[in-house]
C-alpha cells in the first residue's frame, strides 16, 4: 500500500510517500512544496494546490494522511494554515484518495515512540525507520512521519479485525 | 463589470453577483452553497469548491471579492472557516478572476453606511440598493454586500484616476 503523508503549511507544505508491505516500510519519495514569497495569498494557495496535485498524479498513493492543526498562540498563522490545509485536503479528495487525520502527538508517538518528541528526534527517527542515507528536511521528515503513523494505525486496525479496516471515502461520516 | 461577492462559511457559503455599470448596480443572481451534514470534512470542502466552481462557470464574473475572517471566540470554528475560505479562494484563482478582500466593517459600511450594522440591516439595505422584491437569505445578502463593497471601491479607484467620477444616484450606495 502506497501512503502519502502531508505536513500542512501556508509557506511550505511537506510531503512524503512510503510503501507499506506487511510490516515493512519502504521510502518512495519526499519533498517540500514551496510558495513564491511575493505572490498574493490566493496565488500561493494555488501553488500549494497545484504542487500536491502533481505529487498525487506522479506517485498515485492509495491512501493519504494529514496532520491535524490546532490553534497556536499566533491565531493569524493558524488561520492561514487552515486555508492551506483546506486546499491540500481538497486535492486529496479530488484525486479520490482516502484521507486520514492524526494529531501531532499521534504522529510523534508513531515515529519516535514518544508523543512529545521534538522536530530533530522526528527527523532522526524517520531516517532510521526508513533507512535513509541522510535525514530529509524537517517539513519532508514531518510528512514521512505522518505516513508512518498512518501505516502503523492501518496495520493495527488490520490486526484487530483480521480484515481490511474501513477506508473513509467521500460521503462517509467521520 | 460583473462582480461576484463571496461570504465564506464551512457549512454554508453565500454568493452574490451584481453588474456594475457606471454608478448603476444591477442584481444578477445570489444563492447559498450548502454542504451535506453527514459528509466528512474533506468531502464538504470538495462540495464548497465544486459549488463555487459552478457559479464561476455559469456567471463568468470579471472580478470577485471575499470577506476577510478574523479569529472569533470559537477558535475551532475559525480554523474550519479558514479551510473553507481557502478552497473558495482557490476556485476564484483557478478561474483567473481578480480577487479582492474586505473586512466585515468595510462591507457593512459600504452596504449600510454604518460599520457596526447588524445582519438584518445588511439584509434590508442590500434589498433596497439592488431593488429586490424580497430580501435574500442572510448568507446570500452578506455575499451581495461584499459585491456592493467591491463595486464602491472600484468606482472610487476610477474616480481617483480621473476616469469615471462617482456620482450618487438612486442605485448607488455611497
Amino acid at each position: 500500500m502506497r501512503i502519502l503523508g502531508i505536513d500542512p503549511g501556508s509557506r511550505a507544505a511537506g510531503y512524503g510517500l512510503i510503501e507499506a508491505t506487511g510490516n515493512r516500510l519502504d521510502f518512495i519519495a519526499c519533498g517540500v512544496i514551496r510558495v513564491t514569497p511575493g505572490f498574493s495569498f490566493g496565488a500561493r494557495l494555488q501553488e500549494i494546490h497545484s504542487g500536491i496535485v502533481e505529487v498525487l498524479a506522479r506517485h498515485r498513493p492509495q491512501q493519504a494522511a494529514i496532520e491535524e492543526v490546532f490553534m497556536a498562540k499566533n491565531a493569524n498563522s493558524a488561520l492561514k494554515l487552515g486555508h492551506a490545509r483546506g486546499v491540500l485536503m481538497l486535492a486529496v479528495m479530488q484525486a479520490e484518495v482516502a484521507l486520514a487525520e492524526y494529531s501531532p502527538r499521534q504522529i510523534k508517538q508513531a515515529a519516535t515512540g514518544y508523543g512529545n518528541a521534538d522536530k530533530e528526534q522526528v527527523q532522526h527517527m524517520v531516517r532510521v525507520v526508513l533507512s535513509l542515507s541522510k535525514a530529509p528536511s524537517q517539513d519532508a521528515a514531518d510528512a514521512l512521519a505522518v505516513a508512518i503513523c498512518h501505516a502503523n494505525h492501518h496495520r493495527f486496525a488490520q490486526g484487530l479485525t483480521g480484515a481490511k479496516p474501513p477506508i473513509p471515502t467521500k460521503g462517509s461520516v467521520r
Side-chain angles (χ1 to χ4, degrees), chain A:
Chain A
M1 184 180 65
R2 186 164 291 194
I3 303 168
L4 167 66
I6 304 172
D7 178 46
S10 62
R11 278 175 297 186
Y15 67 89
L17 289 122
I18 60 171
E19 189 82 41
T21 320
N23 285 318
R24 190 192 158 101
L25 298 182
D26 288 306
F27 170 81
I28 302 292
C30 71
V32 180
I33 300 160
R34 290 188 195 286
V35 301
T36 310
F39 278 16
S40 72
F41 184 48
R44 281 181 278 147
L45 288 177
Q46 205 177 0
E47 287 185 308
I48 293 169
H49 182 261
S50 308
I52 201 74
V53 163
E54 205 185 298
V55 168
L56 284 156
R58 195 188 312 142
H59 297 288
R60 304 195 165 280
Q62 278 97 44
Q63 307 227 348
I66 190 166
E67 186 167 331
E68 283 172 1
V69 294
F70 297 97
M71 295 315 305
K73 2 180 211 306
N74 188 336
N76 201 40
S77 322
L79 196 55
K80 278 197 176 151
L81 179 53
H83 284 67
R85 194 170 179 275
V87 303
L88 287 163
M89 288 179 71
L90 177 73
V92 173
M93 300 305 296
Q94 288 173 327
E96 296 181 10
V97 173
L99 179 66
E101 299 178 64
Y102 298 99
S103 70
R105 199 183 166 79
Q106 284 177 299
I107 294 161
K108 286 172 186 172
Q109 178 72 39
T112 70
Y114 175 53
N116 289 321
D118 62 26
K119 290 253 174 201
E120 286 70 27
Q121 282 175 282
V122 170
Q123 213 171 3
H124 174 73
M125 284 309 297
V126 162
R127 181 182 170 181
V128 171
V129 168
L130 297 176
S131 316
L132 303 175
S133 58
K134 63 183 189 111
S137 74
Q138 223 160 56
D139 291 324
D142 284 347
L144 286 167
V146 176
I148 292 169
C149 177
H150 184 63
N152 284 1
H153 276 256
H154 199 262
R155 273 200 301 238
F156 181 65
Q158 278 189 316
L160 276 181
T161 60
K164 286 195 175 178
I167 298 163
T169 57
K170 187 186 173 193
S172 81
V173 184
R174 275 182 42 81

